[in-house]
């Protein structure tokens, strides 16, 4: 087990190098010059442009830029500065990540509790009214685009009923994040419910279930331990990969609810060709993906005793 | 109220709730305590994150310049009719438009308590002009003698001096500016942020000063929580006439304009600068007399990429062809429908509200006349390949009107017209800078200083930074040079007016429309006005208790 974890952790190093390298060169090859973009319609004289490039180190060949960037990260944990306003990238990331983590955590809790809850109900009553109701409900959520869902929630709860403020304010309180978390977690909730339902309905007919019932175990234990534990593997796989998606892929939801998180930052960094910021962001997201997938693999062993890592 | 009520039914259920709250709050009128003005009240305004550090020499985009406007006061400012008024200067005088003498008002201080002297100005200008500091607005000092030594034209060259020889401090409150030649509009240029003074503390750590600027304006800087908010508060030691009528401004950052508008309706933000297209059809009904709809001094044009093969080979294009294209665009209909009344059809190259603006300067060329358009294009030898493209950036909301303009041109003249979409503004700019525009590109110009030369010389002179389409005409260059060297501002403006009238014969670009401010404010504030650059004027806003 220990060796397995160590090996997986070591694998992260080449992945880290590979992603930074790829992203760095992809941003570099995009058409559009970040320094030129600083000056807009009015333009600027070439001498100032050259001086600005030199100041930012963008006049060096791309190999050298990448080398400088990587040595700074590894030796000084310095992710460089933004081109536009010279802010350290670590500071920019430090601003964006907490709110995104909060939002992702809420959305995750929401999809976990309600998704599995609905899935269990539907799975146990497979083919009956409750099951059909859950199926229709999840189908509805899957088919509504995120921005429509966000707009509807704002319209009903903020403008009609006045229960909440339409947007997240600069204080970024937990209570303000509930609505965006519901919108963000809504789609995954539907998937989680459907996965849980299918897996449960299937395992209900398994031999070990009949044995457990025949042994005269109480119903709570049969469902709660034997059935749930065995049905969770596909759900856990989905949830694990979803954490990364919730963090990095919330551009639309963040935009609608005025959350200044990672999604919007990624979008902005791409349009402004802020290579250093983008590499930092994506690297952290990749590390999150790697960590969660490791965690999931370890969870498999907990859920299913037949799985062992040497 | 009656109007508001009937409007409710039209807009539907959501607006019912909104209009109800809006009316409920506004019923107070001015009679009760609620309507009283609180001189220390702080109001909030929607504002994006400034793109760069807040340096006087580098703040050229909208977000930063609004904050800087509050923090700094320049020597002069201009009034609505384009004429000058003194702010920090007691007087700015010249006899030949070449040597200018500036006398400062006494007793002004920076927000850190140090006095504003002639040296504060001269040192600041020297610093901003220096190539080593790579300030984006440094070319504004190019008129001043000795600029080349401080800011060599050659890329990578080191400056041979760090002082503009044209600037001389006479005493604490007087300095002189010697220009390379006569520039009648120089007095107006002095109103620009790049000519603001800087305190001694700035030079110790310019980067820190850009995060926490110390100015001499009506507001002092309080805090900047990046991407969330910026707070500035009234500076009580301010000596100028434009002392703030409120306690301060809180600039709030929003991810989208839609979100900001929702917050305006629910009372979380007081002043907006612009609206999203989605809210344009309803905002007048939503806000009533708090809706703002006002022209400002900016113009959008279709600029011709004269370096492109299409216009150059086999021979230089006849201006008649471009006149024809211009007459094929139905500006009135497009501004009303596609642009939802946010623009006003242009009738010339100089925007409204600028000194020397003349109604209908372009004559018939901006009128929609399909028959005449066809005729002109034919007379000019036709459009090469009978097809044009209009380059624009897809992230700026331009697609709709570019399509409309293209349809209008194709329907009227049969010239095939397609939009050439670049994914974003950066890519659009790079294509322009590297001279890869194939035919025509979208261009916009907001005033830098309110004199018509800004809209002609800075756009159509050979080699001007704003002249990205490589338009070049010796005759026009000569006339511009002559107008620039006129002895008085009046004469210069008149000369430029004559040039504008004649631009029809060169057609360096196709004027489309003037910009308008479409915005709104909450019932908590009054006296919200928008300046000629389209930005809200901070100091005149009054906050209700």
């Amino acid at each position: 087990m220990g060796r397995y974890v160590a090996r997986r952790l070591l694998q992260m190093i080449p992945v880290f190098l590979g992603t930074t390298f790829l992203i760095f060169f992809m941003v570099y090859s995009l058409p559009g010059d970040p320094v030129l973009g600083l000056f807009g319609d009015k333009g600027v004289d070439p001498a100032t442009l050259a001086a600005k490039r030199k100041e930012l180190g963008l006049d060096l060949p791309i190999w050298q830029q990448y080398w400088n960037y990587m040595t700074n990260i590894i030796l000084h944990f310095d992710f460089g500065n933004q081109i536009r306003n010279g802010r350290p990238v670590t500071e920019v990331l430090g601003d964006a990540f907490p709110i995104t983590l909060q939002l992702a955590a809420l959305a995750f809790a929401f999809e976990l509790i309600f998704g599995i809850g609905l899935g269990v109900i539907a799975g146990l009553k497979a083919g009956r009214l409750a099951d059909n109701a859950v199926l229709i409900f999840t189908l509805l959520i899957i088919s509504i685009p995120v921005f429509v869902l966000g707009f509807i929630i704002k319209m009903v709860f903020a403008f009609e009923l006045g229960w909440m403020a339409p947007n997240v304010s600069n204080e970024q309180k937990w209570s303000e994040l509930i609505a965006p978390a519901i919108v963000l977690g809504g789609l995954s909730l539907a998937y989680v419910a459907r996965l849980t339902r299918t897996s449960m309905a299937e395992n209900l007919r398994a031999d070990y279930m009949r044995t457990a019932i025949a042994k005269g175990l109480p119903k709570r234990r049969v469902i709660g331990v034997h059935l749930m534990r065995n049905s969770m593997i596909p759900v856990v796989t989905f949830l694990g990969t979803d954490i990364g998606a919730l963090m990095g892929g919330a551009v639309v939801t963040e935009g609608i609810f005025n959350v200044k998180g990672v999604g919007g930052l990624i979008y902005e960094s791409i349009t402004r060709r802020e290579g250093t910021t983008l590499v930092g962001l994506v690297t952290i997201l990749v590390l999150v993906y790697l960590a969660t997938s490791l965690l999931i693999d370890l969870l498999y062993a907990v859920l299913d005793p037949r799985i062992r890592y040497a | 109220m009656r109007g508001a009520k009937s409007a409710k039914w039209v807009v539907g259920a959501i607006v019912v709730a909104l209009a109800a709250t809006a009316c409920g709050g506004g019923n107070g009128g001015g009679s009760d305590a609620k309507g009283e003005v609180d001189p220390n009240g702080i109001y909030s305004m929607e504002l994006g994150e400034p793109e760069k550090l807040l340096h006087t020499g580098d703040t050229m985009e909208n977000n930063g310049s609004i904050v800087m406007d509050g923090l700094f006061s320049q020597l002069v400012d201009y009034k609505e009719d384009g004429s000058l008024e003194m702010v920090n200067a007691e007087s700015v005088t010249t006899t030949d438009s070449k040597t200018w003498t500036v006398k400062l008002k006494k007793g002004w201080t920076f927000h850190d308590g140090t006095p504003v002297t002639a040296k504060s100005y001269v040192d600041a200008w020297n610093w901003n002009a220096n190539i080593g500091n790579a300030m984006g607005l440094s070319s504004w000092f190019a008129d001043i003698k000795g600029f080349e030594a401080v800011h060599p034209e050659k890329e990578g060259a080191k400056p041979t001096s760090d002082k503009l020889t044209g600037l001389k401090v006479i005493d604490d409150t007087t300095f002189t500016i010697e220009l390379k030649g006569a520039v009648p509009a120089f007095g107006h240029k002095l109103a620009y942020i790049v000519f603001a003074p800087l305190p001694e503390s700035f030079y110790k750590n310019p980067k820190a000063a850009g995060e926490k600027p110390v100015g001499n304006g009506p507001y002092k800087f309080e805090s900047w929580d990046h991407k969330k908010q910026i707070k500035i508060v009234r500076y009580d030691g301010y000596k100028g006439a434009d002392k703030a009528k409120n306690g301060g401004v809180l600039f709030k950052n929003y991810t989208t304009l839609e979100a900001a508008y929702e917050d305006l309706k629910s009372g979380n933000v007081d002043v907006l600068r612009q609206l999203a297209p989605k809210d344009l059809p309803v905002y007048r009904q939503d806000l009533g007399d708090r809706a703002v709809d006002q022209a400002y001094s900016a113009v959008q044009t279709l600029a011709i990429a004269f370096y492109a093969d299409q216009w150059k080979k086999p021979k230089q294009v006849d201006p008649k062809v471009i006149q024809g294209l211009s007459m094929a665009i139905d500006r009135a209909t497009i501004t009303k429908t596609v642009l939802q009344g946010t623009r006003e059809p242009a009738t010339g190259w100089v925007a409204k509200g600028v000194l020397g603006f003349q109604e209908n300067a372009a004559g018939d060329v901006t009128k929609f006349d399909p028959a005449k358009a066809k005729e002109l294009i034919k007379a000019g030898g036709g459009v090469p390949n009978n097809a044009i493209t209009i380059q624009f950036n897809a992230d700026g909301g331009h697609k709709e009107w570019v399509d409309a303009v293209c349809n209008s041109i194709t329907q009227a003249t049969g010239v095939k017209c397609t939009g050439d979409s670049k994914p974003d503004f950066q890519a659009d700019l790079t294509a322009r800078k590297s001279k890869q525009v194939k035919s025509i590109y979208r261009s916009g110009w907001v005033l830098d200083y309110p004199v018509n030369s800004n809209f002609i010389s800075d756009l159509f002179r050979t080699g001007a930074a704003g002249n990205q389409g490589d338009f070049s005409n010796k005759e026009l260059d000569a006339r511009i040079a002559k107008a620039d060297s006129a002895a008085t501002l009046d004469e210069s403006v008149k000369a430029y007016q004559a040039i504008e009238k004649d631009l029809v014969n060169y057609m360096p670009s196709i004027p489309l429309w003037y910009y308008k401010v479409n915005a709104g404010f909450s019932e908590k504030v009054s006296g919200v006005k928008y300046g000629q650059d389209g930005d809200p004027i901070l100091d005149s806003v009054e906050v209700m208790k």
Side-chain angles (χ1 to χ4, degrees):
Chain A
M1 185 80 167
R3 274 187 60 185
Y4 175 76
V5 174
R7 204 172 68 218
R8 286 287 297 263
L9 286 176
L10 281 177
Q11 277 172 6
M12 287 187 187
I13 294 170
V15 175
F16 172 76
L17 289 175
T19 41
T20 50
F21 181 81
L22 270 179
I23 302 291
F24 204 89
F25 280 80
M26 274 153 80
V27 176
Y28 185 80
S29 61
L30 280 175
D33 178 348
V35 183
L36 198 57
L38 286 169
F39 302 103
D41 263 341
K42 306 257 173 186
V44 72
D45 60 303
T48 309
L49 209 59
K52 197 93 198 165
R53 278 215 184 87
K54 191 162 169 55
E55 183 187 307
L56 296 163
L58 294 173
D59 56 337
L60 302 170
I62 176 76
W63 293 102
Q64 212 169 336
Q65 284 184 39
Y66 181 69
W67 173 252
N68 288 346
Y69 181 67
M70 287 315 283
T71 46
N72 272 333
I73 290 186
I74 293 163
L75 298 179
H76 315 290
F77 197 68
D78 175 7
F79 280 75
N81 293 335
Q82 284 202 308
I83 294 170
R84 289 261 165 166
N85 48 20
R87 288 180 72 202
V89 171
T90 38
E91 193 187 303
V92 175
L93 300 183
D95 275 355
F97 265 99
I99 182 79
T100 296
L101 277 176
Q102 268 179 300
L103 183 62
L106 263 185
F108 191 72
F110 171 70
E111 68 176 75
L112 194 72
I113 295 166
F114 288 93
I116 294 183
L118 285 176
V120 169
I121 295 169
L124 291 178
K125 313 258 175 187
R128 286 196 258 154
L129 184 66
D131 181 27
N132 284 324
V134 170
L135 279 183
I136 291 172
F137 172 68
T138 51
L139 186 70
L140 198 71
I141 292 184
I142 292 174
S143 57
I144 300 178
V146 177
F147 56 91
V148 177
L149 192 64
F151 190 66
I152 292 174
I153 287 196
K154 270 193 178 184
M155 225 163 86
V156 175
F157 295 102
F159 297 137
E160 288 264 35
L161 299 170
W163 290 355
M164 55 171 235
N167 292 307
V168 175
S169 71
N170 282 333
E171 282 103 70
Q172 306 185 328
K173 293 183 218 124
W174 280 96
S175 59
E176 294 170 334
L177 288 172
I178 294 175
I182 290 175
V183 172
L184 182 60
L187 185 67
S188 304
L189 173 142
Y191 286 127
V192 170
R194 292 198 149 202
L195 273 174
T196 314
R197 182 229 172 246
T198 319
S199 181
M200 295 248 323
E202 211 165 90
N203 285 338
L204 264 179
R205 292 191 292 273
D207 293 341
Y208 65 83
M209 283 296 292
R210 210 171 30 216
T211 315
I213 295 165
K215 276 203 300 191
L217 288 178
K219 200 176 176 202
R220 275 186 56 174
R221 194 168 164 76
V222 175
I223 292 169
V225 177
H226 293 263
L227 180 60
M228 283 286 273
R229 196 167 150 179
N230 280 292
S231 309
M232 278 304 110
I233 287 184
V235 180
V236 165
T237 314
F238 176 79
L239 284 174
T241 50
D242 204 38
I243 291 182
L246 287 178
M247 286 179 62
V251 184
V252 179
T253 318
E254 285 181 358
I256 296 174
F257 288 98
N258 194 34
V259 179
K260 284 129 201 159
V262 169
L265 188 59
I266 293 180
Y267 179 75
E268 186 193 279
S269 310
I270 294 174
T271 55
R272 290 181 175 181
R273 312 285 187 270
E274 291 276 8
T276 50
T277 318
L278 200 61
V279 176
L281 275 169
V282 176
T283 308
I284 293 180
L285 287 178
V286 168
L287 291 179
V288 169
Y289 266 106
L290 290 175
T292 47
S293 65
L294 174 62
L295 207 66
I296 293 159
D297 286 347
L298 296 178
L299 263 179
Y300 285 165
V302 177
L303 289 171
D304 189 340
R306 282 169 299 181
I307 301 174
R308 283 279 172 272
Y309 299 115
Chain B
M1 272 308 156
R2 184 172 289 257
K5 263 180 191 159
S6 60
K8 286 178 195 173
W9 296 108
V10 188
V11 188
I14 332 136
V15 184
V16 173
L18 296 169
T21 46
C23 292
N27 278 344
S31 53
D32 55 16
K34 244 192 132 188
E36 268 176 50
V37 172
D38 176 6
N40 295 316
I42 289 179
Y43 68 100
S44 57
M45 180 183 293
E46 177 271 324
L47 188 79
E49 168 83 356
E51 290 187 0
K52 299 190 242 177
L53 291 176
L54 294 174
H55 282 149
T56 54
D58 214 11
T59 306
M60 53 204 336
E61 45 75 50
N62 211 256
N63 296 325
S65 46
I66 291 181
V67 181
M68 293 301 264
D69 260 357
L71 296 176
F72 286 90
S73 279
Q74 288 77 268
L75 294 167
V76 296
D77 200 358
Y78 39 81
K79 294 186 224 156
E80 263 171 57
D81 60 356
S83 65
L84 274 189
E85 61 181 335
M86 298 297 133
V87 183
N88 194 179
E90 180 78 49
S91 66
V92 175
T93 49
T94 181
T95 47
D96 54 1
S97 296
K98 189 163 178 266
T99 311
W100 298 67
T101 308
V102 178
K103 278 197 170 27
L104 299 179
K105 282 182 185 147
K106 291 198 174 77
W108 279 52
T109 54
F110 286 105
H111 302 150
D112 60 2
T114 54
V116 181
T117 62
K119 194 168 175 293
S120 322
Y121 278 93
V122 171
D123 285 355
W125 297 4
N126 282 331
W127 197 88
N128 279 343
N130 197 316
I131 183 78
N133 300 320
M135 290 286 114
L137 295 170
S138 48
S139 55
W140 278 75
F141 299 100
D143 293 334
I144 300 174
K145 210 173 160 192
F147 180 71
E148 278 70 25
V150 180
H151 191 113
E153 205 176 319
K154 210 172 136 258
E155 284 179 36
K158 291 263 176 302
T160 52
S161 161
D162 58 359
K163 290 202 165 49
L164 294 160
T165 50
L167 299 178
K168 281 198 185 67
V169 178
I170 308 290
D171 60 45
D172 256 8
T173 54
T174 319
F175 67 101
T176 57
I177 310 161
E178 192 185 338
L179 306 181
K180 288 179 202 152
V183 182
F186 191 75
H188 279 75
K189 288 191 183 182
L190 289 176
Y192 201 46
I193 184 70
V194 71
F195 292 103
L198 290 168
E200 274 305 316
S201 59
F202 174 86
Y203 308 100
K204 282 186 203 114
N205 189 348
K207 189 161 184 284
E211 287 273 352
K212 204 176 182 316
V214 174
N216 63 334
Y219 294 92
K220 62 179 176 199
F221 180 86
E222 175 140 324
S223 63
W224 182 358
D225 192 357
H226 284 281
K227 292 214 174 158
K228 289 187 187 138
Q229 59 186 41
I230 296 173
K231 193 174 179 188
I232 60 177
V233 295
R234 185 180 56 213
Y235 174 51
D236 286 320
Y238 186 64
K239 299 284 194 311
D242 53 340
K243 203 170 163 71
K245 292 179 180 164
N246 46 65
V249 194
L250 183 67
F251 298 102
K252 288 186 177 178
N253 185 344
Y254 284 92
T255 49
T256 60
L257 290 176
E258 283 92 346
Y261 185 65
E262 287 160 3
D263 260 21
L264 175 75
K265 291 193 292 186
S266 47
N268 293 328
V269 67
D270 296 320
V271 179
L272 295 191
R273 298 175 302 145
Q274 48 184 338
L275 298 172
K278 174 174 98 61
D279 301 313
L280 284 173
V282 295
Y283 87 104
R284 287 186 189 86
Q285 283 149 342
D286 282 0
L287 301 175
D289 54 5
R290 291 181 287 116
V292 175
D293 185 358
Q294 179 196 322
Y296 70 96
S297 304
V299 64
Q300 193 153 56
T301 56
L302 291 182
I304 316 289
F306 285 99
Y307 53 77
D309 286 347
Q310 174 171 28
W311 307 119
K312 213 169 59 187
K313 289 176 184 168
K315 63 174 186 66
Q316 186 70 21
V317 68
D318 191 324
K320 279 200 186 106
V321 175
I322 304 168
Q323 287 175 356
L325 289 175
S326 173
M327 291 185 84
I329 302 168
D330 187 357
R331 293 173 179 76
T333 311
I334 295 172
T335 48
K336 233 179 275 159
T337 54
V338 180
L339 292 164
Q340 309 191 62
T342 56
R343 311 279 153 85
E344 200 179 310
T347 57
W349 285 267
V350 175
K352 277 189 172 176
V354 169
L355 204 61
F357 167 76
Q358 35 192 357
E359 210 45 84
N360 214 5
D364 288 340
V365 168
T366 55
K367 294 206 175 64
F368 179 55
D369 187 344
K372 188 94 186 287
K374 237 186 213 163
E375 211 174 280
L376 278 168
I377 291 178
K378 210 171 155 206
V383 175
N385 311 329
N386 206 34
I388 53 171
T389 59
I390 300 176
Q391 176 178 308
F392 64 98
N393 49 313
D395 61 349
H398 301 301
K399 188 178 186 320
E400 289 76 12
W401 69 254
V402 168
D403 285 348
V405 165
C406 264
N407 283 338
S408 183
I409 289 176
T410 309
Q411 273 176 18
T413 63
V415 174
K416 206 171 148 248
C417 173
T418 43
D420 178 8
S421 168
K422 298 283 165 206
D424 51 30
F425 195 39
Q426 321 276 333
D428 178 47
L429 284 175
T430 306
R432 287 199 225 165
K433 194 86 186 167
S434 53
K435 313 235 174 286
Q436 282 164 355
V437 180
K438 289 182 213 79
S439 163
I440 294 176
Y441 63 94
R442 171 212 77 82
S443 175
W445 192 261
V446 189
L447 88 165
D448 293 318
Y449 53 94
V451 181
N452 54 0
S453 59
N454 185 222
F455 284 79
I456 297 171
S457 170
D458 291 318
L459 276 172
F460 306 132
R461 185 167 36 84
T462 306
N467 183 358
Q468 296 173 332
D470 272 4
F471 173 79
S472 180
N473 184 297
K474 284 208 183 82
E475 194 188 333
L476 198 69
D477 282 347
R479 288 183 65 183
I480 287 175
K482 206 165 152 231
D484 275 340
S485 57
T488 65
L489 182 63
D490 258 4
E491 282 169 41
S492 167
V493 166
K494 283 217 180 73
Y496 271 112
Q497 280 182 327
I499 296 176
E500 193 195 4
K501 284 269 187 209
D502 286 343
L503 279 180
V504 181
N505 304 322
Y506 307 108
M507 291 304 284
S509 70
I510 302 174
L512 287 177
W513 30 68
Y514 306 123
Y515 281 80
K516 285 207 285 186
V517 184
N518 295 88
F521 51 92
S522 78
E523 54 218 358
K524 219 184 99 193
V525 291
S526 66
V528 181
K529 287 197 224 83
Y530 292 77
Q532 270 170 318
D533 46 6
D535 295 336
I537 296 169
L538 303 178
D539 52 71
S540 64
V541 174
E542 292 183 311
V543 184
M544 306 296 170
K545 264 181 187 149

